[in-house]
Amino acid sequence: MKPSITYLHLLAKTPFFTGLNRKQLQWVIDHSKEWEAAKGNLIARSDSDPGSFWVLLDGGWKIEAGSRTYPVGHADPGNWYGADTVHTAAVASRLMASADSYVMEIRLEDFNEMIRQGFDFDRHLRRGVQFYSEILKP
């Protein structure tokens, strides 16, 4: 994957971040890394780096769990990956770019700080927890 630049005006249109104000969006930019992931790139695995939280900005990714594959777009319930929801699941998984994509990596401690500050991620997190509870069960 290659480092990329996050633009505030584009981040504001990304479904995961549409509930944030300009100051919050800038905070996200200041506490994250954007990556360009070519189709087929491995982005993350459930058995590595539990300290990162990933958000799909543009393009598509797929979650591979066991012998199953689940395609996800940036407005779908699986548009984030990480935290205990993924790392403590009964089934191991991998996150792969299914198209040329842009993804954001946020350190989990920074993401938890965003939640403490009241950043509006609730709907996305609830939908994602439900999604992962269905696909990552034995």
Side-chain angles (χ1 to χ4, degrees):
M1 294 193 305
K2 297 187 322 188
S4 186
I5 297 171
T6 306
Y7 295 100
L8 192 139
H9 70 282
L10 295 176
L11 189 63
K13 296 176 184 177
T14 302
F16 193 85
F17 298 104
T18 56
L20 304 185
N21 63 41
R22 187 175 181 82
K23 182 179 176 185
Q24 291 170 324
L25 290 167
Q26 188 60 55
W27 203 96
V28 169
I29 291 169
D30 293 342
H31 293 86
S32 65
K33 293 178 187 172
E34 182 172 330
W35 300 94
E36 181 180 347
K39 181 179 180 177
N41 279 160
L42 172 66
I43 299 167
R45 295 187 337 230
S46 61
D47 62 352
S48 65
D49 195 10
S52 289
F53 185 88
W54 295 87
V55 178
L56 179 60
L57 302 176
D58 191 34
W61 63 26
K62 60 185 176 181
I63 294 104
E64 297 176 348
S67 62
R68 301 167 299 183
T69 300
Y70 303 90
V72 175
H74 73 275
D76 294 334
N79 64 353
W80 60 267
Y81 183 90
D84 285 347
T85 301
V86 170
H87 294 289
T88 62
V91 174
S93 60
R94 325 189 304 162
L95 183 62
M96 304 288 294
S98 60
D100 291 343
S101 302
Y102 291 89
V103 299
M104 178 174 279
E105 180 182 16
I106 305 169
R107 299 299 309 161
L108 196 51
E109 61 252 18
D110 290 328
F111 187 74
N112 288 334
E113 180 59 27
M114 292 176 206
I115 292 172
R116 279 191 289 281
Q117 290 184 30
F119 288 31
D120 185 12
F121 300 131
D122 291 346
R123 181 176 63 89
H124 301 288
L125 294 175
R126 281 194 313 273
R127 290 176 64 213
V129 167
Q130 175 67 35
F131 172 76
Y132 287 115
S133 70
E134 292 171 9
I135 71 165
L136 298 180
K137 62 184 176 187

